[in-house]
Amino acid sequence: ANLAEMTRIGLPVPFGFTVTSEVSVRYKQEGKLAPEIQEEIQEKIRDLENVSGQKLGNEKEPLLISVRPGYPVPIPGLQTAILNLGLNDDTVEALSRMTGNEKFAYDSYRRLIEMYGVIVMGIPKERFQDVLLESKKRSDAKEMIELSAESMKELVRSYQDIVERETGEPFPQDPALQLRKAFDAVYRSWNEDRLKKYRRENNVPEDVGIAVNVQSMVFGNLGADSGAGYVYTRDPETGEKELCGGFLPNAQGEDLELGVRTVRPVDSMQETFPEVYQTLSHICEILENHYLDAQKIEFTVQHGRLYVLQTKSEKRTAQAAVKIAVDLVREKRIDQKEAVMRIKPEYAEKMVHAQFDKADLKKAHAAAQGIGVSAGAAYGGICFSVKDVLRWKDLQKNAVLVCDNPTPELLAGFSDAQGILLLHGGIRSQGAELARGMGKCCISDIDNASIDKERGILRIGQKIYQRGDILSLDGVTGTIYEGMVSLTPPDFLGDFGTIMEWADSFRTMRIRTNADTPDAARQAVYFGAEGIGLCRSEHMFFDKDRISVFREMILASDKEEREDALRKLLPFQQKDFEEMFRVMEDRPVTIRLFDPPLQDFLPRTEKQFEEYAELSGVSARMLKRQVQKLREMNPMLGKRGIRLAVEYPETAKMQTRAIVTAAIRVSGEFGYNIQPEILIPLTVSHTEFCYVSGIVRKEAETVMGELGKKIPYMIGTMIEVPRAALTAGEIAEDAEFFSFGTNDLTQMTYGFSRSDTQDLIRQYVERGILPADPFRTIDPDGVGRLMKMATEEGKRSRPTLKTGICGEHAGDPASVEFCHQIGLQYVSCSPIRIPVARLAAAHAAIREEREKKS
Ligand code: PEP
Ligand code: MG
């Protein structure tokens, strides 16, 4: 399309035609090119012959063509062009006569045999490269251009032998046959496993197909007044507006990629090809103006004449994309909406993290590979316990906490470590979730890794790392590097800040955060959070001072003991909530009552039992017996969420007291307008909701009476069990807001465990049984349908019902768009996903507006 466009606006493009991608789709169905299409291709070849005055296969003036596949999306490592098609043992002689350059003619023929051999006949490239290397050695030549015409001739003969040896057939001499087979090869390539996998992973539809461009050849390897190169109209690394790229005199385009010759910077042409360079700069301007975006342009210079072979809006770094978009607005070429649309939400994640210093990273040695479960980059000394982490902190050094089985004690160390390494657990484990909630860089699932705590050793494969050895973690790619890779701070202001401001002005959904600690809340506000959509209050109990009191509460043998423990917990909770309210000021804060199964908080290891027994004065044996009583077969489907409050209403009362007291105190201190939102998890019915909300409401009123001050507050529910979604209309009669807990809602709608079915889901996705991982992107037909229905029915019975989402999906761009479409008022995601969500919400609003207009 771009070749046609450039031809239309009068740029020097080698004459040619395009066989559109529909033909490849038809080829796939019919297994061959339909006769009428073959006829049309012939006709177009005749046009080419008429324009050039040359003929395909003619022994005096042969037409040479290139066959270049064109894809609708950039796909790395795809089949490249076949150049010089039309050469054979006779036409090569004619080319030699026409150009007076025998070496050039045979070099071109050699290249055709190699490209054709590799692409059409499937011969390994090394076969040809080995022979070429041998020839260079024999001639004592460093570069190919140093070879003589005679050597090129010899290479052609050797290459032909390779073809015959490898395929049992000679290199085809008939140009028409060469062309037909080239088409077959392009179409066949679509079905390569590698490409199928890429399309699946990148959501490229199967029916987009491949186009084929056929053009008359222009040659950059005709001598010193020729060459090949590429130019970026703006630097793809930085976005700076300056031409950059590469150029090779006396070369064909493929030489630029081979890396055998040193490519010169494109601006060196100012000296060697001053006029061509001027034309090139002018063309860069034209193309930017035409496409209203930075371009990468490929070109050839033939005897001092410039030809454009390709232009496209090339890939760029996140930083460059941002700068280019903002500059284009400043240059009045695009508007703010368009600029926002050009920044992929994923880019935002890159912009908000410290990143590894690029030069340092090049030198770094990758020690192991895991799954990146919480983004960012970090380095630090290996620690195996919270004590280690705190010691490193005291020494003002960074720590990487390595956990085999993250017990509540270890989870308490997360906040002081710079990076977290989980040997198992996957993306949805409690540890991964906690790290994301804190915005900590975290990698999980390291193959063949084990910890020997006694000896202070981490083993990965054959390698042994000692306590204190430095590791660097990339939480995006999941790569672990040995030693320290230094970090560059995030650039959240400047042009990126401008893009985010524009995005905020276009979005209609609010962006909140899931934050459990004041630090996380502070970070979230910095990233632009407009409120807290989920504070998992139980996470506040991982702290080492509180976990034992919390256990006391769980293991209490009667109500009295439990209330005793709760009394001790109350001041901790209240202080936590006060801090949260202070950080959030006037912004809304949703606090969820305890949710997880109680067994998550209990001692697991022998050592922990002993420690806790000593602390509590109860024997380890007794403790184990009590813990055993609390064990459940399916804890995720057991006593958790609202069910805990039904069984132990005193826990809900204590939390309500802490929330209301904290809100009254902080609003009194600072004059903030605090309206806490109390969230009840895992509700399944209206009656159940009323049972617990009644307890909460009564306690809230009691506390306000005691303190002699009233504050507005709301009581709402998570919608995370299908039954709650199905009866949302009734629940909304009493619930003032809904927060969709799509982690559980997905788990319970599919019946896939959210904790350990990643491998199964990956297989489902690979086999095309599922279009995407439903724990990552909302499944619109099942889970999404429940959400839509619950929103509609909820609003029908309570028009003022507030609706939002707080599952992990809230940080996934496609899911954010879905939430916008069903009319949710906010999404609430982990702090580091906030910029992603802000952009995604803006995209959703702009896209909707554009669709309405069209
Ligand atoms: C959910 O289920 O989506 C949710 C936010 O709650 P949690 O992840 O804490 O179960
Ligand atoms: Mg949940």
Side-chain angles (χ1 to χ4, degrees):
N2 288 357
L3 286 172
E5 197 68 8
M6 288 196 290
T7 309
R8 199 178 61 78
I9 59 174
L11 296 186
V13 176
F15 195 73
F17 61 91
T18 299
V19 180
T20 64
S21 53
E22 285 94 334
V23 172
S24 78
V25 176
R26 204 169 144 189
Y27 182 97
K28 197 174 150 200
Q29 287 156 359
E30 297 170 7
K32 60 177 183 355
L33 269 179
E36 68 271 22
I37 291 170
Q38 286 191 36
E39 181 47 43
E40 221 180 311
I41 292 173
Q42 287 311 318
E43 219 174 274
K44 294 293 165 196
I45 293 277
R46 281 194 289 278
D47 283 353
L48 256 178
E49 291 175 336
N50 290 339
V51 170
S52 63
Q54 299 166 337
K55 258 177 124 50
L56 202 60
N58 187 285
E59 285 164 25
K60 282 207 181 84
E61 288 190 63
L63 170 72
L64 302 186
I65 54 181
S66 68
V67 175
R68 197 183 301 269
Y71 299 89
V73 284
I75 301 183
L78 262 184
Q79 180 194 316
T80 48
I82 300 176
L83 307 179
N84 312 332
L85 201 135
L87 280 175
N88 59 24
D89 294 351
D90 297 324
T91 52
V92 70
E93 282 297 321
L95 182 66
S96 165
R97 280 194 302 277
M98 273 159 70
T99 55
N101 189 338
E102 187 180 38
K103 177 174 145 183
F104 154 76
Y106 277 90
D107 181 28
S108 303
Y109 193 19
R110 174 194 72 78
R111 288 169 189 261
L112 168 66
I113 301 171
E114 177 177 325
M115 288 186 245
Y116 191 91
V118 173
I119 295 170
V120 180
M121 301 173 132
I123 302 170
K125 197 177 175 77
E126 303 80 64
R127 301 276 188 281
F128 299 102
Q129 296 291 312
D130 290 349
V131 174
L132 178 63
L133 216 70
E134 201 42 50
S135 165
K136 283 205 295 200
K137 236 193 246 160
R138 261 202 316 277
S139 311
D140 202 17
K142 265 213 211 77
E143 294 191 3
M144 219 154 49
I145 44 170
E146 293 167 30
L147 293 179
S148 64
E150 205 40 56
S151 305
M152 291 295 182
K153 270 187 176 174
E154 249 173 52
L155 276 172
V156 164
R157 276 192 293 277
S158 310
Y159 279 19
Q160 286 181 331
D161 287 347
I162 293 174
V163 169
E164 206 150 351
R165 214 172 37 242
E166 292 280 332
T167 66
E169 285 170 37
F171 175 75
Q173 295 290 307
D174 174 7
L177 180 66
Q178 290 174 0
L179 183 62
R180 237 184 359 260
K181 292 244 170 158
F183 267 93
D184 283 339
V186 170
Y187 294 147
R188 262 201 329 261
S189 71
W190 190 246
N191 279 332
E192 280 174 20
D193 288 346
R194 201 168 45 96
L195 284 201
K196 280 192 194 156
K197 184 162 177 272
Y198 183 88
R199 288 198 294 273
R200 211 172 36 235
E201 285 170 3
N202 293 277
N203 298 326
V204 181
E206 277 301 307
D207 55 1
V208 290
I210 311 177
V212 185
N213 303 302
V214 179
Q215 285 173 287
S216 53
M217 281 298 302
V218 284
F219 295 99
N221 53 342
L222 271 171
D225 61 350
S226 304
Y230 60 92
V231 61
Y232 294 94
T233 58
R234 297 178 196 229
D235 190 325
E237 282 279 326
T238 63
E240 222 44 73
K241 191 174 183 202
E242 58 193 9
L243 299 192
C244 58
F247 180 72
L248 265 182
N250 197 10
Q252 273 195 326
E254 55 158 359
D255 300 336
L256 291 154
E257 284 150 32
L258 289 178
V260 274
R261 288 171 61 190
T262 317
V263 178
R264 301 180 190 171
V266 73
D267 59 7
S268 68
M269 290 174 74
Q270 272 171 320
E271 277 158 34
T272 46
F273 291 82
E275 276 165 31
V276 177
Y277 188 76
Q278 219 178 0
T279 315
L280 184 65
S281 312
H282 184 53
I283 286 176
C284 285
E285 264 313 295
I286 295 175
L287 284 174
E288 263 209 356
N289 262 329
H290 186 76
Y291 288 103
L292 300 173
D293 195 8
Q295 298 291 298
K296 179 189 179 190
I297 297 155
E298 289 173 30
F299 63 90
T300 285
V301 182
Q302 174 174 305
H303 289 319
R305 219 184 133 190
L306 179 72
Y307 291 91
V308 185
L309 300 186
Q310 153 112 284
T311 188
K312 56 183 173 183
S313 298
E314 183 65 351
K315 272 204 175 143
R316 53 201 75 168
T317 62
Q319 282 88 342
V322 166
K323 175 155 178 52
I324 291 170
V326 173
D327 282 351
L328 288 173
V329 173
R330 289 195 189 116
E331 292 162 25
K332 300 204 174 7
R333 298 202 199 186
I334 59 173
D335 64 13
Q336 293 176 0
K337 280 188 188 155
E338 178 59 26
V340 169
M341 288 305 278
R342 287 189 185 181
I343 308 304
K344 293 187 198 151
E346 296 77 33
Y347 284 173
E349 199 173 337
K350 296 206 175 94
M351 302 297 291
V352 298
H353 289 298
Q355 291 184 14
F356 286 136
D357 177 82
K358 285 205 179 77
D360 242 23
L361 190 61
K362 270 194 195 136
K363 290 181 268 165
H365 172 68
Q369 186 64 40
I371 307 173
V373 295
S374 179
Y379 66 84
I382 295 177
C383 296
F384 297 111
S385 66
V386 183
K387 237 202 271 157
D388 287 353
V389 173
L390 293 176
R391 215 181 47 235
W392 280 84
K393 192 179 172 190
D394 283 347
L395 297 169
Q396 305 206 331
K397 287 184 179 169
N398 287 1
V400 165
L401 180 60
V402 186
C403 317
D404 195 353
N405 177 11
T407 56
E409 277 79 4
L410 274 176
L411 295 175
F414 277 28
S415 54
D416 291 309
Q418 273 64 36
I420 317 287
L421 205 56
L422 303 171
L423 300 197
H424 329 276
I427 198 152
R428 292 187 283 274
S429 66
Q430 194 182 29
E433 224 166 56
L434 192 68
R436 274 197 297 277
M438 291 178 170
K440 294 271 167 195
C441 164
C442 178
I443 295 179
S444 180
D445 294 76
I446 328 293
D447 279 344
N448 296 323
S450 61
I451 295 175
D452 182 341
K453 255 189 163 178
E454 299 295 299
R455 294 166 60 202
I457 279 173
L458 164 68
R459 242 190 222 98
I460 304 180
Q462 303 295 323
K463 282 245 165 184
I464 289 183
Y465 300 94
Q466 311 275 353
R467 177 183 284 122
D469 283 353
I470 307 280
L471 291 180
S472 297
L473 318 184
D474 184 332
V476 177
T477 61
T479 309
I480 300 157
Y481 298 93
E482 264 172 25
M484 176 180 143
V485 184
S486 56
L487 300 171
T488 49
D491 178 13
F492 195 59
L493 302 169
D495 288 336
F496 186 61
T498 307
I499 286 282
M500 295 310 286
E501 256 174 49
W502 292 341
D504 289 344
S505 71
F506 301 131
R507 69 180 157 85
T508 51
M509 266 194 309
R510 295 262 163 203
I511 310 296
R512 295 200 193 182
T513 191
N514 295 356
D516 315 322
T517 62
D519 274 350
R522 229 170 265 123
Q523 188 190 27
V525 169
Y526 174 71
F527 288 151
E530 296 167 301
I532 290 182
L534 175 64
C535 169
R536 292 177 165 106
S537 61
E538 65 274 3
H539 282 181
M540 295 171 154
F541 289 95
F542 288 136
D543 194 280
K544 65 180 187 330
D545 297 334
R546 301 157 198 211
I547 186 83
S548 53
V549 189
F550 196 63
R551 283 176 178 158
E552 221 177 294
M553 189 277 287
I554 299 172
L555 296 170
S557 47
D558 56 27
K559 192 165 173 227
E560 212 171 298
E561 261 184 51
R562 195 161 28 254
E563 280 181 340
D564 246 10
L566 286 167
R567 255 192 301 279
K568 284 192 227 164
L569 280 176
L570 177 67
F572 288 128
Q573 276 266 273
Q574 189 183 315
K575 196 164 148 282
D576 288 335
F577 296 145
E578 282 175 19
E579 263 305 288
M580 290 299 252
F581 289 135
R582 278 190 201 108
V583 173
M584 297 310 288
E585 302 178 354
D586 280 332
R587 299 174 187 90
V589 175
T590 308
I591 297 171
R592 186 178 71 183
L593 303 184
F594 293 147
D595 183 28
L598 295 179
Q599 67 183 42
D600 279 11
F601 296 89
L602 295 175
R604 286 179 211 166
T605 61
E606 212 47 54
K607 200 163 157 228
Q608 285 170 6
F609 270 111
E610 276 160 25
E611 273 174 15
Y612 185 66
E614 205 182 309
L615 206 81
S616 61
V618 182
S619 77
R621 236 182 72 228
M622 271 286 284
L623 273 175
K624 273 189 201 160
R625 204 172 311 141
Q626 271 170 285
V627 169
Q628 200 52 39
K629 268 203 267 173
L630 285 165
R631 290 259 178 264
E632 292 175 302
M633 288 288 270
N634 291 308
M636 273 299 199
L637 300 176
K639 217 183 282 173
R640 57 179 282 230
I642 190 168
R643 300 163 201 179
L644 287 175
V646 170
E647 180 151 353
Y648 309 121
E650 49 283 4
T651 57
K653 279 196 206 159
M654 181 281 280
Q655 291 202 288
T656 306
R657 181 167 282 272
I659 295 168
V660 174
T661 314
I664 289 178
R665 190 172 275 187
V666 176
S667 57
E669 254 173 49
F670 297 94
Y672 297 144
N673 184 14
I674 299 175
Q675 182 184 14
E677 298 169 359
I678 302 174
L679 178 58
I680 299 176
L682 220 76
T683 305
V684 296
S685 79
H686 177 227
T687 319
E688 184 196 36
F689 176 79
C690 290
Y691 185 87
V692 172
S693 67
I695 295 167
V696 171
R697 198 174 300 283
K698 190 160 164 233
E699 185 67 11
E701 296 301 325
T702 308
V703 175
M704 288 192 282
E706 282 170 18
L707 296 177
K709 186 156 189 247
K710 278 213 166 298
I711 46 147
Y713 66 96
M714 286 207 274
I715 308 178
T717 181
M718 300 278 285
I719 302 287
E720 49 187 347
V721 180
R723 196 183 187 286
L726 292 165
T727 58
E730 286 167 36
I731 295 176
E733 285 168 18
D734 282 83
E736 292 164 284
F737 65 94
F738 281 175
S739 181
F740 287 98
T742 43
N743 304 333
D744 274 310
L745 191 58
T746 303
Q747 166 169 263
M748 300 206 207
T749 304
Y750 275 94
F752 283 145
S753 160
R754 59 191 266 193
S755 327
D756 45 22
T757 47
Q758 288 135 38
D759 277 351
L760 179 74
I761 288 173
R762 191 174 37 76
Q763 285 188 42
Y764 267 52
V765 174
E766 270 173 23
R767 287 167 206 212
I769 301 173
L770 280 176
D773 178 349
F775 285 102
R776 198 171 272 239
T777 299
I778 287 173
D779 141 50
D781 305 331
V783 178
R785 191 158 167 225
L786 285 171
M787 291 169 70
K788 186 164 185 281
M789 198 174 76
T791 308
E792 286 167 0
E793 293 188 3
K795 285 201 174 147
R796 211 169 295 141
S797 57
R798 179 185 289 268
T800 56
L801 183 79
K802 252 195 191 179
T803 52
I805 173 180
C806 62
E808 289 286 318
H809 301 85
D812 167 67
S815 311
V816 171
E817 172 140 22
F818 179 80
C819 293
H820 173 91
Q821 285 162 354
I822 63 166
L824 297 194
Q825 275 133 315
Y826 69 84
V827 299
S828 182
C829 56
S830 19
I832 42 177
R833 301 292 295 178
I834 286 168
V836 173
R838 284 164 73 189
L839 263 175
H843 282 198
I846 297 169
R847 214 170 281 135
E848 184 185 54
E849 186 191 290
R850 287 181 175 178
E851 270 159 25
K852 268 190 198 143
K853 271 192 194 148
S854 69

PDB file of all heavy atoms in Angstrom, residues 592 595 640 718 720 744 754, ligand 2:
ATOM      1  N   ARG A 592     -11.632  -3.280  52.162  1.00  0.00           N
ATOM      2  CA  ARG A 592     -12.347  -4.557  52.147  1.00  0.00           C
ATOM      3  C   ARG A 592     -12.144  -5.292  53.463  1.00  0.00           C
ATOM      4  O   ARG A 592     -11.032  -5.341  53.993  1.00  0.00           O
ATOM      5  CB  ARG A 592     -11.820  -5.416  50.989  1.00  0.00           C
ATOM      6  CG  ARG A 592     -12.604  -6.696  50.819  1.00  0.00           C
ATOM      7  CD  ARG A 592     -12.089  -7.485  49.649  1.00  0.00           C
ATOM      8  NE  ARG A 592     -10.773  -8.053  49.930  1.00  0.00           N
ATOM      9  CZ  ARG A 592     -10.085  -8.752  49.034  1.00  0.00           C
ATOM     10  NH1 ARG A 592     -10.558  -8.936  47.826  1.00  0.00           N
ATOM     11  NH2 ARG A 592      -8.917  -9.254  49.336  1.00  0.00           N
ATOM     12  N   ASP A 595     -10.588 -11.231  53.836  1.00  0.00           N
ATOM     13  CA  ASP A 595     -11.089 -12.083  52.767  1.00  0.00           C
ATOM     14  C   ASP A 595     -10.500 -13.497  52.745  1.00  0.00           C
ATOM     15  O   ASP A 595     -11.224 -14.470  52.585  1.00  0.00           O
ATOM     16  CB  ASP A 595     -10.851 -11.396  51.425  1.00  0.00           C
ATOM     17  CG  ASP A 595     -11.412 -12.180  50.272  1.00  0.00           C
ATOM     18  OD1 ASP A 595     -12.390 -12.919  50.487  1.00  0.00           O
ATOM     19  OD2 ASP A 595     -10.892 -12.066  49.153  1.00  0.00           O
ATOM     20  N   ARG A 640     -14.109 -18.161  53.797  1.00  0.00           N
ATOM     21  CA  ARG A 640     -13.367 -16.924  53.531  1.00  0.00           C
ATOM     22  C   ARG A 640     -14.374 -15.829  53.214  1.00  0.00           C
ATOM     23  O   ARG A 640     -15.574 -16.090  53.093  1.00  0.00           O
ATOM     24  CB  ARG A 640     -12.376 -17.111  52.376  1.00  0.00           C
ATOM     25  CG  ARG A 640     -12.983 -17.573  51.085  1.00  0.00           C
ATOM     26  CD  ARG A 640     -11.951 -17.721  49.967  1.00  0.00           C
ATOM     27  NE  ARG A 640     -11.596 -16.441  49.402  1.00  0.00           N
ATOM     28  CZ  ARG A 640     -11.592 -16.170  48.089  1.00  0.00           C
ATOM     29  NH1 ARG A 640     -11.942 -17.095  47.212  1.00  0.00           N
ATOM     30  NH2 ARG A 640     -11.260 -14.995  47.648  1.00  0.00           N
ATOM     31  N   MET A 718     -18.265  -6.945  46.854  1.00  0.00           N
ATOM     32  CA  MET A 718     -17.554  -7.479  45.703  1.00  0.00           C
ATOM     33  C   MET A 718     -18.571  -8.324  44.939  1.00  0.00           C
ATOM     34  O   MET A 718     -19.399  -9.002  45.559  1.00  0.00           O
ATOM     35  CB  MET A 718     -16.435  -8.426  46.139  1.00  0.00           C
ATOM     36  CG  MET A 718     -15.381  -7.836  47.018  1.00  0.00           C
ATOM     37  SD  MET A 718     -14.136  -6.958  46.090  1.00  0.00           S
ATOM     38  CE  MET A 718     -13.171  -8.265  45.382  1.00  0.00           C
ATOM     39  N   GLU A 720     -18.030 -11.342  42.872  1.00  0.00           N
ATOM     40  CA  GLU A 720     -16.955 -12.245  42.452  1.00  0.00           C
ATOM     41  C   GLU A 720     -17.383 -13.713  42.467  1.00  0.00           C
ATOM     42  O   GLU A 720     -16.571 -14.600  42.263  1.00  0.00           O
ATOM     43  CB  GLU A 720     -15.694 -12.026  43.288  1.00  0.00           C
ATOM     44  CG  GLU A 720     -15.909 -11.997  44.773  1.00  0.00           C
ATOM     45  CD  GLU A 720     -14.655 -11.599  45.569  1.00  0.00           C
ATOM     46  OE1 GLU A 720     -13.558 -11.572  45.012  1.00  0.00           O
ATOM     47  OE2 GLU A 720     -14.812 -11.327  46.773  1.00  0.00           O
ATOM     48  N   ASP A 744     -11.581 -13.800  41.244  1.00  0.00           N
ATOM     49  CA  ASP A 744     -12.440 -14.886  41.715  1.00  0.00           C
ATOM     50  C   ASP A 744     -13.579 -15.164  40.736  1.00  0.00           C
ATOM     51  O   ASP A 744     -13.949 -16.311  40.513  1.00  0.00           O
ATOM     52  CB  ASP A 744     -13.016 -14.545  43.097  1.00  0.00           C
ATOM     53  CG  ASP A 744     -12.048 -14.951  44.200  1.00  0.00           C
ATOM     54  OD1 ASP A 744     -11.593 -16.104  44.173  1.00  0.00           O
ATOM     55  OD2 ASP A 744     -11.734 -14.109  45.055  1.00  0.00           O
ATOM     56  N   ARG A 754      -7.396 -20.217  40.135  1.00  0.00           N
ATOM     57  CA  ARG A 754      -6.596 -19.055  39.766  1.00  0.00           C
ATOM     58  C   ARG A 754      -5.147 -19.222  40.195  1.00  0.00           C
ATOM     59  O   ARG A 754      -4.271 -18.495  39.764  1.00  0.00           O
ATOM     60  CB  ARG A 754      -7.177 -17.787  40.405  1.00  0.00           C
ATOM     61  CG  ARG A 754      -7.232 -17.837  41.902  1.00  0.00           C
ATOM     62  CD  ARG A 754      -8.042 -16.704  42.471  1.00  0.00           C
ATOM     63  NE  ARG A 754      -7.202 -15.571  42.817  1.00  0.00           N
ATOM     64  CZ  ARG A 754      -7.615 -14.550  43.561  1.00  0.00           C
ATOM     65  NH1 ARG A 754      -8.859 -14.507  43.987  1.00  0.00           N
ATOM     66  NH2 ARG A 754      -6.808 -13.566  43.838  1.00  0.00           N
TER      67      ARG A 754
HETATM   68 MG    MG B   2     -11.456 -12.124  45.420  1.00  0.00          MG
END
